[in-house]
Amino acid sequence: MDRGLQGNDKIEEAIRELREAPSDEQLAHTLTLLRRRMRENGQVVVAVEAVAKEQNLQLATVRTEDGRRWFAAFTSFEEEMKLSLIHISEPTRPY
């Protein structure tokens, strides 16, 4: 594992707990862990995608139901691959 990604498992666990039992306290805990990793110079994996008809890459985004776009960032390469597999198995998924 890339040394810059070590410690991100704490973020993954906090996100899992937030999904299982959403609460303001759990959200605050998750955000605190993100800030702590930032202060530790922790890193994330940023998804990129090829731009059609260009030889450039752009940061990948995810569109939420309200139409807003967010940059896609992952705690590990394994987590990024999970999303890639979803795109392959669910080509009609709206992003």
PDB file of all heavy atoms in Angstrom, residues 2-30:
ATOM      1  N   ASP A   2       0.491   2.229  -0.738  1.00  0.00           N
ATOM      2  CA  ASP A   2       1.184   3.504  -0.788  1.00  0.00           C
ATOM      3  C   ASP A   2       1.236   4.106   0.617  1.00  0.00           C
ATOM      4  O   ASP A   2       0.226   4.152   1.321  1.00  0.00           O
ATOM      5  CB  ASP A   2       0.444   4.434  -1.750  1.00  0.00           C
ATOM      6  CG  ASP A   2       1.195   5.715  -1.999  1.00  0.00           C
ATOM      7  OD1 ASP A   2       1.433   6.462  -1.034  1.00  0.00           O
ATOM      8  OD2 ASP A   2       1.516   5.982  -3.161  1.00  0.00           O
ATOM      9  N   ARG A   3       2.401   4.565   1.045  1.00  0.00           N
ATOM     10  CA  ARG A   3       2.550   5.098   2.408  1.00  0.00           C
ATOM     11  C   ARG A   3       1.625   6.270   2.677  1.00  0.00           C
ATOM     12  O   ARG A   3       1.158   6.447   3.799  1.00  0.00           O
ATOM     13  CB  ARG A   3       4.001   5.490   2.648  1.00  0.00           C
ATOM     14  CG  ARG A   3       4.875   4.272   2.783  1.00  0.00           C
ATOM     15  CD  ARG A   3       6.328   4.550   3.001  1.00  0.00           C
ATOM     16  NE  ARG A   3       6.634   5.802   3.646  1.00  0.00           N
ATOM     17  CZ  ARG A   3       7.839   6.333   3.683  1.00  0.00           C
ATOM     18  NH1 ARG A   3       8.846   5.716   3.114  1.00  0.00           N
ATOM     19  NH2 ARG A   3       8.056   7.472   4.284  1.00  0.00           N
ATOM     20  N   GLY A   4       1.351   7.074   1.680  1.00  0.00           N
ATOM     21  CA  GLY A   4       0.468   8.228   1.862  1.00  0.00           C
ATOM     22  C   GLY A   4      -0.977   7.842   2.128  1.00  0.00           C
ATOM     23  O   GLY A   4      -1.766   8.649   2.626  1.00  0.00           O
ATOM     24  N   LEU A   5      -1.336   6.601   1.797  1.00  0.00           N
ATOM     25  CA  LEU A   5      -2.706   6.121   2.005  1.00  0.00           C
ATOM     26  C   LEU A   5      -2.863   5.378   3.333  1.00  0.00           C
ATOM     27  O   LEU A   5      -3.990   5.108   3.753  1.00  0.00           O
ATOM     28  CB  LEU A   5      -3.120   5.202   0.855  1.00  0.00           C
ATOM     29  CG  LEU A   5      -3.109   5.831  -0.541  1.00  0.00           C
ATOM     30  CD1 LEU A   5      -3.421   4.776  -1.601  1.00  0.00           C
ATOM     31  CD2 LEU A   5      -4.088   6.981  -0.624  1.00  0.00           C
ATOM     32  N   GLN A   6      -1.740   5.076   3.991  1.00  0.00           N
ATOM     33  CA  GLN A   6      -1.814   4.362   5.266  1.00  0.00           C
ATOM     34  C   GLN A   6      -2.508   5.232   6.303  1.00  0.00           C
ATOM     35  O   GLN A   6      -2.179   6.402   6.459  1.00  0.00           O
ATOM     36  CB  GLN A   6      -0.418   3.969   5.735  1.00  0.00           C
ATOM     37  CG  GLN A   6       0.204   2.904   4.877  1.00  0.00           C
ATOM     38  CD  GLN A   6       1.630   2.576   5.282  1.00  0.00           C
ATOM     39  OE1 GLN A   6       2.223   3.241   6.111  1.00  0.00           O
ATOM     40  NE2 GLN A   6       2.184   1.543   4.665  1.00  0.00           N
ATOM     41  N   GLY A   7      -3.474   4.677   6.976  1.00  0.00           N
ATOM     42  CA  GLY A   7      -4.256   5.427   7.953  1.00  0.00           C
ATOM     43  C   GLY A   7      -5.642   5.764   7.443  1.00  0.00           C
ATOM     44  O   GLY A   7      -6.512   6.151   8.224  1.00  0.00           O
ATOM     45  N   ASN A   8      -5.860   5.628   6.143  1.00  0.00           N
ATOM     46  CA  ASN A   8      -7.173   5.929   5.574  1.00  0.00           C
ATOM     47  C   ASN A   8      -8.219   4.884   5.935  1.00  0.00           C
ATOM     48  O   ASN A   8      -9.418   5.131   5.780  1.00  0.00           O
ATOM     49  CB  ASN A   8      -7.085   6.070   4.049  1.00  0.00           C
ATOM     50  CG  ASN A   8      -6.421   7.367   3.627  1.00  0.00           C
ATOM     51  OD1 ASN A   8      -6.114   8.221   4.452  1.00  0.00           O
ATOM     52  ND2 ASN A   8      -6.187   7.518   2.345  1.00  0.00           N
ATOM     53  N   ASP A   9      -7.776   3.738   6.449  1.00  0.00           N
ATOM     54  CA  ASP A   9      -8.738   2.724   6.867  1.00  0.00           C
ATOM     55  C   ASP A   9      -9.643   3.246   7.982  1.00  0.00           C
ATOM     56  O   ASP A   9     -10.797   2.853   8.088  1.00  0.00           O
ATOM     57  CB  ASP A   9      -8.016   1.452   7.307  1.00  0.00           C
ATOM     58  CG  ASP A   9      -6.984   1.708   8.404  1.00  0.00           C
ATOM     59  OD1 ASP A   9      -6.282   2.741   8.345  1.00  0.00           O
ATOM     60  OD2 ASP A   9      -6.879   0.859   9.310  1.00  0.00           O
ATOM     61  N   LYS A  10      -9.134   4.187   8.773  1.00  0.00           N
ATOM     62  CA  LYS A  10      -9.959   4.800   9.823  1.00  0.00           C
ATOM     63  C   LYS A  10     -11.104   5.598   9.203  1.00  0.00           C
ATOM     64  O   LYS A  10     -12.225   5.591   9.707  1.00  0.00           O
ATOM     65  CB  LYS A  10      -9.104   5.696  10.709  1.00  0.00           C
ATOM     66  CG  LYS A  10      -8.040   4.936  11.477  1.00  0.00           C
ATOM     67  CD  LYS A  10      -7.120   5.879  12.209  1.00  0.00           C
ATOM     68  CE  LYS A  10      -5.949   5.121  12.811  1.00  0.00           C
ATOM     69  NZ  LYS A  10      -4.951   6.019  13.374  1.00  0.00           N
ATOM     70  N   ILE A  11     -10.814   6.270   8.101  1.00  0.00           N
ATOM     71  CA  ILE A  11     -11.853   7.031   7.392  1.00  0.00           C
ATOM     72  C   ILE A  11     -12.884   6.062   6.810  1.00  0.00           C
ATOM     73  O   ILE A  11     -14.091   6.300   6.906  1.00  0.00           O
ATOM     74  CB  ILE A  11     -11.240   7.898   6.272  1.00  0.00           C
ATOM     75  CG1 ILE A  11     -10.284   8.940   6.865  1.00  0.00           C
ATOM     76  CG2 ILE A  11     -12.331   8.577   5.448  1.00  0.00           C
ATOM     77  CD1 ILE A  11      -9.451   9.665   5.825  1.00  0.00           C
ATOM     78  N   GLU A  12     -12.409   4.973   6.211  1.00  0.00           N
ATOM     79  CA  GLU A  12     -13.319   3.983   5.633  1.00  0.00           C
ATOM     80  C   GLU A  12     -14.268   3.436   6.699  1.00  0.00           C
ATOM     81  O   GLU A  12     -15.470   3.308   6.463  1.00  0.00           O
ATOM     82  CB  GLU A  12     -12.525   2.841   5.001  1.00  0.00           C
ATOM     83  CG  GLU A  12     -11.752   3.250   3.774  1.00  0.00           C
ATOM     84  CD  GLU A  12     -10.814   2.171   3.271  1.00  0.00           C
ATOM     85  OE1 GLU A  12     -10.928   1.012   3.725  1.00  0.00           O
ATOM     86  OE2 GLU A  12      -9.957   2.489   2.430  1.00  0.00           O
ATOM     87  N   GLU A  13     -13.736   3.121   7.867  1.00  0.00           N
ATOM     88  CA  GLU A  13     -14.562   2.594   8.948  1.00  0.00           C
ATOM     89  C   GLU A  13     -15.580   3.631   9.416  1.00  0.00           C
ATOM     90  O   GLU A  13     -16.752   3.313   9.635  1.00  0.00           O
ATOM     91  CB  GLU A  13     -13.685   2.151  10.122  1.00  0.00           C
ATOM     92  CG  GLU A  13     -14.450   1.597  11.290  1.00  0.00           C
ATOM     93  CD  GLU A  13     -15.248   0.339  10.960  1.00  0.00           C
ATOM     94  OE1 GLU A  13     -14.849  -0.409  10.046  1.00  0.00           O
ATOM     95  OE2 GLU A  13     -16.290   0.112  11.606  1.00  0.00           O
ATOM     96  N   ALA A  14     -15.160   4.879   9.540  1.00  0.00           N
ATOM     97  CA  ALA A  14     -16.076   5.938   9.965  1.00  0.00           C
ATOM     98  C   ALA A  14     -17.193   6.141   8.941  1.00  0.00           C
ATOM     99  O   ALA A  14     -18.358   6.341   9.317  1.00  0.00           O
ATOM    100  CB  ALA A  14     -15.310   7.244  10.184  1.00  0.00           C
ATOM    101  N   ILE A  15     -16.873   6.057   7.663  1.00  0.00           N
ATOM    102  CA  ILE A  15     -17.886   6.195   6.612  1.00  0.00           C
ATOM    103  C   ILE A  15     -18.854   5.026   6.670  1.00  0.00           C
ATOM    104  O   ILE A  15     -20.069   5.204   6.551  1.00  0.00           O
ATOM    105  CB  ILE A  15     -17.225   6.321   5.221  1.00  0.00           C
ATOM    106  CG1 ILE A  15     -16.492   7.655   5.117  1.00  0.00           C
ATOM    107  CG2 ILE A  15     -18.261   6.177   4.111  1.00  0.00           C
ATOM    108  CD1 ILE A  15     -15.618   7.788   3.887  1.00  0.00           C
ATOM    109  N   ARG A  16     -18.331   3.830   6.879  1.00  0.00           N
ATOM    110  CA  ARG A  16     -19.187   2.645   7.017  1.00  0.00           C
ATOM    111  C   ARG A  16     -20.168   2.823   8.184  1.00  0.00           C
ATOM    112  O   ARG A  16     -21.365   2.571   8.053  1.00  0.00           O
ATOM    113  CB  ARG A  16     -18.307   1.405   7.248  1.00  0.00           C
ATOM    114  CG  ARG A  16     -18.635   0.230   6.408  1.00  0.00           C
ATOM    115  CD  ARG A  16     -17.761  -0.993   6.617  1.00  0.00           C
ATOM    116  NE  ARG A  16     -16.429  -0.841   7.168  1.00  0.00           N
ATOM    117  CZ  ARG A  16     -15.320  -0.594   6.451  1.00  0.00           C
ATOM    118  NH1 ARG A  16     -15.399  -0.465   5.145  1.00  0.00           N
ATOM    119  NH2 ARG A  16     -14.151  -0.490   7.027  1.00  0.00           N
ATOM    120  N   GLU A  17     -19.657   3.286   9.318  1.00  0.00           N
ATOM    121  CA  GLU A  17     -20.503   3.502  10.490  1.00  0.00           C
ATOM    122  C   GLU A  17     -21.535   4.601  10.226  1.00  0.00           C
ATOM    123  O   GLU A  17     -22.681   4.497  10.668  1.00  0.00           O
ATOM    124  CB  GLU A  17     -19.649   3.846  11.704  1.00  0.00           C
ATOM    125  CG  GLU A  17     -18.811   2.675  12.183  1.00  0.00           C
ATOM    126  CD  GLU A  17     -17.821   3.055  13.266  1.00  0.00           C
ATOM    127  OE1 GLU A  17     -17.831   4.215  13.736  1.00  0.00           O
ATOM    128  OE2 GLU A  17     -17.020   2.178  13.656  1.00  0.00           O
ATOM    129  N   LEU A  18     -21.137   5.634   9.503  1.00  0.00           N
ATOM    130  CA  LEU A  18     -22.062   6.720   9.173  1.00  0.00           C
ATOM    131  C   LEU A  18     -23.194   6.216   8.285  1.00  0.00           C
ATOM    132  O   LEU A  18     -24.350   6.591   8.467  1.00  0.00           O
ATOM    133  CB  LEU A  18     -21.304   7.857   8.486  1.00  0.00           C
ATOM    134  CG  LEU A  18     -22.109   9.078   8.067  1.00  0.00           C
ATOM    135  CD1 LEU A  18     -22.748   9.758   9.280  1.00  0.00           C
ATOM    136  CD2 LEU A  18     -21.210  10.071   7.328  1.00  0.00           C
ATOM    137  N   ARG A  19     -22.866   5.363   7.332  1.00  0.00           N
ATOM    138  CA  ARG A  19     -23.908   4.794   6.467  1.00  0.00           C
ATOM    139  C   ARG A  19     -24.852   3.886   7.242  1.00  0.00           C
ATOM    140  O   ARG A  19     -26.045   3.865   6.991  1.00  0.00           O
ATOM    141  CB  ARG A  19     -23.277   4.007   5.327  1.00  0.00           C
ATOM    142  CG  ARG A  19     -22.692   4.875   4.269  1.00  0.00           C
ATOM    143  CD  ARG A  19     -22.181   4.035   3.145  1.00  0.00           C
ATOM    144  NE  ARG A  19     -21.819   4.875   2.020  1.00  0.00           N
ATOM    145  CZ  ARG A  19     -21.124   4.460   0.997  1.00  0.00           C
ATOM    146  NH1 ARG A  19     -20.703   3.214   0.944  1.00  0.00           N
ATOM    147  NH2 ARG A  19     -20.834   5.281   0.009  1.00  0.00           N
ATOM    148  N   GLU A  20     -24.305   3.116   8.179  1.00  0.00           N
ATOM    149  CA  GLU A  20     -25.127   2.180   8.948  1.00  0.00           C
ATOM    150  C   GLU A  20     -26.030   2.884   9.951  1.00  0.00           C
ATOM    151  O   GLU A  20     -27.155   2.444  10.179  1.00  0.00           O
ATOM    152  CB  GLU A  20     -24.225   1.172   9.673  1.00  0.00           C
ATOM    153  CG  GLU A  20     -23.542   0.207   8.731  1.00  0.00           C
ATOM    154  CD  GLU A  20     -22.512  -0.668   9.436  1.00  0.00           C
ATOM    155  OE1 GLU A  20     -22.369  -0.574  10.677  1.00  0.00           O
ATOM    156  OE2 GLU A  20     -21.838  -1.443   8.730  1.00  0.00           O
ATOM    157  N   ALA A  21     -25.538   3.945  10.557  1.00  0.00           N
ATOM    158  CA  ALA A  21     -26.300   4.663  11.581  1.00  0.00           C
ATOM    159  C   ALA A  21     -26.026   6.154  11.463  1.00  0.00           C
ATOM    160  O   ALA A  21     -25.243   6.719  12.221  1.00  0.00           O
ATOM    161  CB  ALA A  21     -25.925   4.154  12.969  1.00  0.00           C
ATOM    162  N   PRO A  22     -26.667   6.802  10.469  1.00  0.00           N
ATOM    163  CA  PRO A  22     -26.418   8.230  10.254  1.00  0.00           C
ATOM    164  C   PRO A  22     -26.819   9.067  11.475  1.00  0.00           C
ATOM    165  O   PRO A  22     -27.885   8.879  12.048  1.00  0.00           O
ATOM    166  CB  PRO A  22     -27.305   8.584   9.059  1.00  0.00           C
ATOM    167  CG  PRO A  22     -27.765   7.298   8.476  1.00  0.00           C
ATOM    168  CD  PRO A  22     -27.639   6.258   9.536  1.00  0.00           C
ATOM    169  N   SER A  23     -25.925   9.954  11.868  1.00  0.00           N
ATOM    170  CA  SER A  23     -26.212  10.883  12.962  1.00  0.00           C
ATOM    171  C   SER A  23     -25.278  12.076  12.832  1.00  0.00           C
ATOM    172  O   SER A  23     -24.224  11.989  12.182  1.00  0.00           O
ATOM    173  CB  SER A  23     -26.020  10.213  14.324  1.00  0.00           C
ATOM    174  OG  SER A  23     -24.646   9.947  14.545  1.00  0.00           O
ATOM    175  N   ASP A  24     -25.651  13.162  13.458  1.00  0.00           N
ATOM    176  CA  ASP A  24     -24.788  14.342  13.449  1.00  0.00           C
ATOM    177  C   ASP A  24     -23.451  14.029  14.114  1.00  0.00           C
ATOM    178  O   ASP A  24     -22.400  14.498  13.671  1.00  0.00           O
ATOM    179  CB  ASP A  24     -25.462  15.508  14.171  1.00  0.00           C
ATOM    180  CG  ASP A  24     -26.639  16.070  13.389  1.00  0.00           C
ATOM    181  OD1 ASP A  24     -26.741  15.814  12.169  1.00  0.00           O
ATOM    182  OD2 ASP A  24     -27.460  16.776  14.006  1.00  0.00           O
ATOM    183  N   GLU A  25     -23.486  13.234  15.174  1.00  0.00           N
ATOM    184  CA  GLU A  25     -22.261  12.883  15.888  1.00  0.00           C
ATOM    185  C   GLU A  25     -21.323  12.058  15.008  1.00  0.00           C
ATOM    186  O   GLU A  25     -20.118  12.292  14.980  1.00  0.00           O
ATOM    187  CB  GLU A  25     -22.585  12.114  17.175  1.00  0.00           C
ATOM    188  CG  GLU A  25     -23.301  12.932  18.217  1.00  0.00           C
ATOM    189  CD  GLU A  25     -24.803  13.073  17.959  1.00  0.00           C
ATOM    190  OE1 GLU A  25     -25.376  12.304  17.147  1.00  0.00           O
ATOM    191  OE2 GLU A  25     -25.405  13.984  18.557  1.00  0.00           O
ATOM    192  N   GLN A  26     -21.883  11.095  14.290  1.00  0.00           N
ATOM    193  CA  GLN A  26     -21.048  10.257  13.427  1.00  0.00           C
ATOM    194  C   GLN A  26     -20.504  11.067  12.257  1.00  0.00           C
ATOM    195  O   GLN A  26     -19.366  10.870  11.837  1.00  0.00           O
ATOM    196  CB  GLN A  26     -21.807   9.028  12.926  1.00  0.00           C
ATOM    197  CG  GLN A  26     -20.956   8.036  12.170  1.00  0.00           C
ATOM    198  CD  GLN A  26     -19.793   7.495  12.985  1.00  0.00           C
ATOM    199  OE1 GLN A  26     -19.924   7.221  14.171  1.00  0.00           O
ATOM    200  NE2 GLN A  26     -18.633   7.353  12.354  1.00  0.00           N
ATOM    201  N   LEU A  27     -21.298  11.981  11.728  1.00  0.00           N
ATOM    202  CA  LEU A  27     -20.815  12.861  10.660  1.00  0.00           C
ATOM    203  C   LEU A  27     -19.661  13.713  11.177  1.00  0.00           C
ATOM    204  O   LEU A  27     -18.633  13.847  10.512  1.00  0.00           O
ATOM    205  CB  LEU A  27     -21.944  13.745  10.135  1.00  0.00           C
ATOM    206  CG  LEU A  27     -21.543  14.781   9.090  1.00  0.00           C
ATOM    207  CD1 LEU A  27     -20.945  14.123   7.853  1.00  0.00           C
ATOM    208  CD2 LEU A  27     -22.747  15.639   8.721  1.00  0.00           C
ATOM    209  N   ALA A  28     -19.808  14.280  12.365  1.00  0.00           N
ATOM    210  CA  ALA A  28     -18.742  15.094  12.952  1.00  0.00           C
ATOM    211  C   ALA A  28     -17.474  14.257  13.156  1.00  0.00           C
ATOM    212  O   ALA A  28     -16.362  14.724  12.884  1.00  0.00           O
ATOM    213  CB  ALA A  28     -19.205  15.695  14.274  1.00  0.00           C
ATOM    214  N   HIS A  29     -17.635  13.023  13.613  1.00  0.00           N
ATOM    215  CA  HIS A  29     -16.491  12.131  13.808  1.00  0.00           C
ATOM    216  C   HIS A  29     -15.789  11.857  12.483  1.00  0.00           C
ATOM    217  O   HIS A  29     -14.550  11.930  12.394  1.00  0.00           O
ATOM    218  CB  HIS A  29     -16.970  10.814  14.447  1.00  0.00           C
ATOM    219  CG  HIS A  29     -15.909   9.773  14.546  1.00  0.00           C
ATOM    220  ND1 HIS A  29     -14.805   9.896  15.363  1.00  0.00           N
ATOM    221  CD2 HIS A  29     -15.763   8.578  13.904  1.00  0.00           C
ATOM    222  CE1 HIS A  29     -14.034   8.836  15.238  1.00  0.00           C
ATOM    223  NE2 HIS A  29     -14.594   8.016  14.357  1.00  0.00           N
ATOM    224  N   THR A  30     -16.553  11.572  11.438  1.00  0.00           N
ATOM    225  CA  THR A  30     -15.985  11.297  10.118  1.00  0.00           C
ATOM    226  C   THR A  30     -15.221  12.508   9.590  1.00  0.00           C
ATOM    227  O   THR A  30     -14.097  12.380   9.092  1.00  0.00           O
ATOM    228  CB  THR A  30     -17.100  10.891   9.133  1.00  0.00           C
ATOM    229  OG1 THR A  30     -17.801   9.762   9.669  1.00  0.00           O
ATOM    230  CG2 THR A  30     -16.544  10.545   7.765  1.00  0.00           C
TER     231      THR A  30
END
